[in-house]
Amino acid sequence: MERKKMTAAEVESRIASTGNWRFDNDVLFKRFEFANFAESLAFVNQVGEIAEAADHHPDITFGWGYAELRTTTHDRGGVTDVDFALVEKIDAID
Amino acid sequence: MERKKMTAAEVESRIASTGNWRFDNDVLFKRFEFANFAESLAFVNQVGEIAEAADHHPDITFGWGYAELRTTTHDRGGVTDVDFALVEKIDAID
């Protein structure tokens, strides 16, 4: 992958094909809702497996009935194709 | 358990015996640091197991090398003995 910081226009163009991710403050963000804590935790573990395989790790906030994911490429100071590759794999979970 | 909102003085008194938890804005908070993402995720799963057993669920933010926990008793609008019971079980993890 290129791993080059994308411009806002490039991000806005590519984000349209994701499952409702948002672009905010150099980060791709999405909130997911679940029926309870166990389902949130199960989802977080699926994301963790994907992140480890990609060696690219989002920041995850979760609790009873929800999970929020944020991904950016820290050493590039913004969003790169590596973030979009991660997002696409997460979108493909069930 | 009593499950009664504790006063700030009661919280400050009891928090002294925890492993460096902080009291802020009606929440008990602690940040943990780890060597990598896998260790953070393993810790989060241990916390998840404790939370499910207690039927009391913190909000958890984690990523590469860290996890932050926040616990409050939402239906009491603040910290109760249920939060301290959770904190004590989390402090007892390895």
Side-chain angles (χ1 to χ4, degrees):
Chain A
M1 275 180 277
E2 250 194 329
R3 216 181 151 77
K4 194 180 130 205
K5 181 177 174 174
M6 297 167 74
T7 66
E10 286 168 340
V11 172
E12 294 296 354
S13 166
R14 187 155 171 188
I15 208 170
S17 63
T18 67
N20 290 315
W21 287 71
R22 293 196 289 113
F23 176 49
D24 182 42
N25 203 16
D26 279 331
V27 168
L28 299 181
F29 167 88
K30 187 171 177 180
R31 180 181 171 95
F32 299 79
E33 304 209 337
F34 301 98
N36 51 45
F37 184 85
E39 286 190 17
S40 305
L41 181 58
F43 174 76
V44 162
N45 276 291
Q46 288 179 290
V47 171
E49 200 171 311
I50 290 168
E52 284 287 82
D55 196 19
H56 190 64
H57 304 90
D59 292 294
I60 301 172
T61 297
F62 78 101
W64 199 98
Y66 78 95
E68 294 176 349
L69 307 184
R70 288 173 179 78
T71 180
T72 189
T73 304
H74 292 285
D75 63 358
R76 293 297 184 272
V79 171
T80 69
D81 53 355
V82 175
D83 297 295
F84 276 105
L86 184 72
V87 157
E88 284 158 12
K89 291 198 184 79
I90 292 167
D91 278 346
I93 295 175
D94 285 350
Chain B
M1 275 180 278
E2 249 194 329
R3 217 182 151 76
K4 192 179 132 206
K5 181 176 173 176
M6 297 167 73
T7 65
E10 286 168 339
V11 172
E12 294 296 354
S13 165
R14 185 153 172 187
I15 209 170
S17 63
T18 68
N20 289 315
W21 287 73
R22 294 196 288 113
F23 177 49
D24 182 41
N25 203 16
D26 280 331
V27 168
L28 297 181
F29 167 89
K30 187 172 177 180
R31 181 181 171 96
F32 299 79
E33 304 210 336
F34 302 98
N36 52 45
F37 183 85
E39 286 190 16
S40 306
L41 181 57
F43 173 76
V44 162
N45 276 292
Q46 289 179 290
V47 172
E49 200 172 311
I50 289 168
E52 284 287 81
D55 196 18
H56 190 64
H57 303 90
D59 292 294
I60 301 171
T61 296
F62 77 102
W64 199 97
Y66 77 97
E68 294 175 349
L69 307 184
R70 287 171 181 81
T71 181
T72 189
T73 304
H74 291 286
D75 63 357
R76 295 295 184 272
V79 171
T80 69
D81 52 355
V82 175
D83 297 295
F84 277 104
L86 185 72
V87 157
E88 284 157 12
K89 290 199 184 79
I90 292 167
D91 278 346
I93 295 175
D94 286 348

